[in-house]
Amino acid sequence: VPTSRNTVKTVWLDGQSQVMASKAKNYDEAYSQLEKLVAEIEKPERSLDSIAKDVKKALELIEQCRECIRGDKEKIDKMLE
């Protein structure tokens, strides 16, 4: 399970919010950043192109959350052996 994860930070370009990927430390951080990204995606003034880019980043964050869950499940399974 990878130790570094992507997170999201908002950057303003041409007066419009753009969400950029960076590294997250754990599931809670990745999930929190995913929630922020979803809020950005839902803004009606966003262009379709920027939404498409953010959806791609959201999918990456979802995969990172899944990786965290898989890693935690493996740890729990080992403890139960």
Side-chain angles (χ1 to χ4, degrees):
V1 176
T3 57
S4 63
R5 313 246 186 264
N6 283 338
T7 59
V8 177
K9 59 185 172 184
T10 303
V11 178
W12 292 91
L13 300 173
D14 299 326
Q16 188 174 23
S17 171
Q18 298 291 317
V19 180
M20 307 298 290
S22 63
K23 297 292 178 186
K25 296 176 183 160
N26 59 40
Y27 175 88
D28 291 331
E29 186 176 333
Y31 188 82
S32 173
Q33 296 303 322
L34 179 59
E35 288 179 317
K36 291 175 187 175
L37 183 58
V38 169
E40 289 295 319
I41 290 170
E42 291 176 338
K43 290 182 178 178
E45 67 273 6
R46 299 286 307 274
S47 72
L48 187 56
D49 288 338
S50 67
I51 291 171
K53 290 175 187 175
D54 288 347
V55 167
K56 181 180 177 183
K57 292 171 192 166
L59 292 171
E60 292 171 3
L61 284 168
I62 290 167
E63 182 55 34
Q64 291 167 16
C65 288
R66 287 177 178 161
E67 288 174 12
C68 289
I69 292 168
R70 281 191 290 269
D72 289 345
K73 181 184 180 309
E74 289 173 9
K75 290 176 188 175
I76 292 168
D77 288 345
K78 286 181 183 179
M79 288 190 290
L80 294 175
E81 290 178 354

